[in-house]
Amino acid sequence: MAKTLTRPAAAAALLAALAVTVPTTASAAPVTAPATATSCYGGAVTVDYGDALEFGPYTTTSRCTDINLRMVGGDAEFVWACVKFTRVGECNRWTKVGRSWKTIATDVLDGSRFTVPLGVDLEGSSARVQIAF
């Protein structure tokens, strides 16, 4: 009569045949993230359209390589946003932004100073946005 192996027994037999050892207890120390680390989005600033039409100036950090924006409140369906770098003085391009994170400037050097002009979809609409940089 042929012997039938269960899956764990078959796996153990295969490992034994391959001369592979498996530790019975984990001995690695747990890996913990530094408490001071802040993600790109975790360092976002929140501003309200209507308090101003252009926000900043801000200075980019090593926390993000891009400048990102999203709506988090208000009655507007979307906002138009651009990045105006201080050294250039003009908007890079206008980008339509909704309630998901959207990149409004890419590959930005650390230490770059900028402002973020905003516009809403309808005159009189309100918007609360977060800017991550």
Side-chain angles (χ1 to χ4, degrees):
M1 179 162 139
K3 183 176 179 182
T4 304
L5 295 176
T6 63
R7 286 186 186 198
L14 177 61
L15 290 173
L18 296 173
V20 175
T21 60
V22 178
T24 57
T25 60
S27 60
V31 178
T32 58
T36 58
T38 303
S39 72
C40 177
Y41 298 146
V45 296
T46 303
V47 296
D48 290 309
Y49 177 83
D51 292 345
L53 303 179
E54 187 167 324
F55 299 94
Y58 304 112
T59 303
T60 57
T61 64
S62 59
R63 191 174 54 239
C64 302
T65 57
D66 301 328
I67 299 171
N68 306 282
L69 188 130
R70 73 173 174 175
M71 287 183 52
V72 293
D75 59 6
E77 289 186 34
F78 60 87
V79 296
W80 288 101
C82 76
V83 174
K84 187 189 293 185
F85 292 101
T86 303
R87 64 180 167 75
V88 177
E90 296 179 7
C91 282
N92 59 342
R93 72 180 179 284
W94 287 94
T95 303
K96 185 178 179 180
V97 180
R99 298 195 182 264
S100 298
W101 285 108
K102 183 90 170 205
T103 301
I104 59 174
T106 58
D107 299 323
V108 181
L109 296 175
D110 292 352
S112 298
R113 291 189 48 83
F114 68 97
T115 59
V116 178
L118 288 180
V120 291
D121 59 337
L122 293 172
E123 186 175 334
S125 293
S126 65
R128 173 170 275 191
V129 300
Q130 288 185 317
I131 306 166
F133 51 92

